[in-house]
């Protein structure tokens, strides 16, 4: 009788919904996509929105971008899918190139056209004056990021604090500006090109250049023309992808596209197995300089890491099926 009662209790749901079986969860229909899209982001779309659209178009499980581009800016936004997201920090560390237009005579709260004007000047710099000031903003320099930026202040984003009216200071930090050139001038504006290292803000360059010239300035147009190995000439416009399946297929670049600026180390199957176990691999007979590198086995990416003291030590290992 006890066994029968226990069996009945197991098979009969309790009143009030207790004991009911949970409905099976629907499995995700998204697929494993691995690789990069060199996206040409349009003005008016945030980086997060652009990634979301690509993730939907490619039905991808995982996606991320290599460097935020403001909604008011256009240009190169590298988007990684799947295992390629492991290489995002490498691409982010690469040099970035920009073409931007500065309006003289006004400084804005955001250092671009979105913010309120906070300072005015009737002075306008000559082309010669602009050219003469550029060397001060080239090389290894100290730069204070814009108040409206993603810099964290005690755990909070600076732009969130600024929008809430908080008063705070952002410390200057060293950045590299590899090239800064005047392209054209006319009226109240000037067009410049810059090549910068990680952490540099073009808006801050415009702000500080305007202050140095005694006329103020802010960015009114900004286009990113390169991020690491991804140039604007090869970038795919976002609005062309939804209606062109062939273009979508061509646009999906292999995972190693994000590794192309690192030294390549070919390994055999035994070497690949060692790296996948997380062990250092002795580099035999390969003429590869010490420093960042990536390893491949018969063309397939295995891992990336560092070559030090004759050994390749992996930082991340790829889990590519098939």
């Amino acid at each position: 009788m006890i066994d029968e009662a226990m069996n009945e209790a197991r098979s009969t749901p309790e009143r009030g919904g207790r004991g009911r079986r949970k409905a099976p969860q629907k499995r995700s229909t998204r697929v494993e996509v691995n690789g990069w899209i060199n996206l040409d982001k349009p003005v008016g779309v945030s980086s997060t929105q652009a990634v979301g659209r690509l993730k939907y178009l490619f039905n991808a499980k995982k996606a991320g971008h290599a460097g935020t581009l403001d909604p008011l800016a256009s240009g190169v936004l590298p988007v990684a899918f799947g295992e390629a997201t492991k290489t995002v920090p490498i691409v982010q560390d690469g040099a970035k190139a920009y073409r931007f237009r500065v309006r003289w005579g006004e400084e804005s709260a955001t250092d671009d056209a979105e913010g309120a004007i906070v300072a005015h000047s009737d002075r306008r710099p000559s082309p010669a004056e602009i050219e003469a000031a550029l060397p001060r903003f080239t090389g290894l320099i100290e730069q204070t990021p814009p108040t409206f930026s993603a810099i964290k202040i005690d755990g909070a984003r600076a732009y969130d604090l600024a929008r809430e009216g908080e008063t705070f200071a952002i410390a200057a930090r060293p950045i590299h500006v590899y090239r800064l050139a005047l392209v054209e001038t006319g009226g109240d504006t000037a067009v410049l090109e810059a090549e910068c290292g990680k952490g540099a803000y073009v808006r801050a360059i415009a702000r500080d250049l305007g202050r140095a010239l005694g006329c103020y300035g802010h960015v009114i147009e900004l286009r990113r023309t390169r991020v690491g190995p991804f140039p604007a000439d090869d970038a795919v416009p976002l609005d062309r992808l939804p209606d062109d399946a062939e273009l979508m297929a061509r646009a999906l670049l292999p995972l190693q596209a994000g590794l192309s600026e690192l030294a390549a180390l070919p390994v055999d199957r035994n070497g690949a197995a060692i790296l996948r176990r997380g062990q250092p691999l002795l580099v035999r007979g390969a003429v590869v300089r010490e420093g960042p590198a990536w390893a491949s086995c018969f063309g397939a990416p295995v891992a990336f890491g560092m070559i030090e003291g004759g050994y390749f030590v992996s930082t991340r290992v790829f889990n590519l099926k098939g």
Side-chain angles (χ1 to χ4, degrees):
M1 295 293 294
I2 295 177
D3 290 341
E4 291 177 359
M6 291 179 66
N7 289 335
E8 184 178 0
R10 290 192 189 104
S11 61
T12 305
E14 295 182 23
R15 293 182 180 179
R18 293 173 59 188
R20 291 178 182 172
R21 292 182 179 178
K22 293 183 179 179
Q25 293 184 348
K26 292 184 179 179
R27 291 185 178 181
S28 173
T29 58
R30 295 191 180 276
V31 297
E32 294 285 352
V33 180
N34 299 299
W36 283 92
I37 299 289
N38 181 8
L39 183 70
D40 190 341
K41 188 192 80 67
V43 172
V45 177
S46 73
S47 296
T48 300
Q49 289 171 333
V51 171
R53 291 186 190 180
L54 287 185
K55 189 176 180 182
Y56 172 79
L57 284 173
F58 286 83
N59 197 30
K61 287 185 177 181
K62 187 176 183 181
H65 64 74
T68 301
L69 199 56
D70 292 337
L72 294 181
S74 67
V76 176
L77 180 69
V79 177
F81 291 129
E83 288 294 286
T85 58
K86 294 178 179 178
T87 68
V88 163
I90 294 174
V91 176
Q92 286 180 324
D93 285 346
K96 300 173 181 65
Y98 301 88
R99 185 182 179 97
F100 59 103
R101 184 180 296 274
V102 179
R103 170 164 287 147
W104 306 120
E106 297 175 336
E107 183 171 309
S108 78
T110 57
D111 300 322
D112 61 16
E114 189 175 19
I117 302 303
V118 295
H120 295 267
S121 173
D122 294 327
R123 190 178 186 283
R124 299 295 181 269
S126 68
E129 289 175 320
I130 299 171
E131 293 273 14
L134 297 185
R136 295 170 54 183
F137 300 94
T138 307
L140 180 62
I141 64 171
E142 291 284 320
Q143 184 186 78
T144 302
T147 302
F148 284 80
S149 64
I151 300 296
K152 285 193 173 182
I153 307 294
D154 295 330
R157 298 291 184 185
Y159 52 68
D160 288 330
L161 296 176
R163 291 188 183 109
E164 293 170 1
E166 298 286 340
T167 301
F168 58 93
I170 301 179
R173 56 184 183 172
I175 63 161
H176 274 101
V177 179
Y178 305 114
R179 186 176 77 92
L180 183 60
L182 178 64
V183 177
E184 63 181 53
T185 62
D188 293 339
T189 68
V191 176
L192 298 98
E193 291 180 343
E195 293 182 16
C196 314
K198 183 179 180 180
Y201 283 86
V202 171
R203 288 181 289 145
I205 292 176
R207 176 201 66 203
D208 295 342
L209 183 58
R211 291 176 181 177
L213 291 168
C215 64
Y216 300 119
H218 67 278
V219 172
I220 58 172
E221 295 175 13
L222 175 62
R223 179 166 177 78
R224 190 157 65 188
T225 56
R226 181 167 66 90
V227 178
F230 298 104
D233 289 345
D234 298 334
V236 181
L238 179 60
D239 59 358
R240 287 184 54 195
L241 286 169
D243 301 318
D244 194 333
E246 184 179 343
L247 179 61
M248 284 180 60
R250 294 200 313 269
L252 184 60
L253 304 174
L255 181 154
Q256 51 266 43
L259 301 168
S260 60
E261 293 188 334
L262 302 186
L265 176 67
V267 300
D268 58 20
R269 288 189 175 88
N270 290 333
I274 290 172
L275 293 176
R276 290 191 178 106
R277 291 196 296 267
Q279 298 173 327
L281 176 65
L282 178 63
V283 179
R284 298 178 182 273
V287 184
V288 181
R289 66 181 183 275
E290 292 207 343
W294 67 284
S296 65
C297 182
F298 296 101
V302 177
F304 69 86
M306 297 286 291
I307 296 179
E308 298 175 316
Y311 284 86
F312 179 91
V313 181
S314 59
T315 302
R316 299 295 299 272
V317 176
F318 301 115
N319 182 25
L320 296 172
K321 298 177 182 179

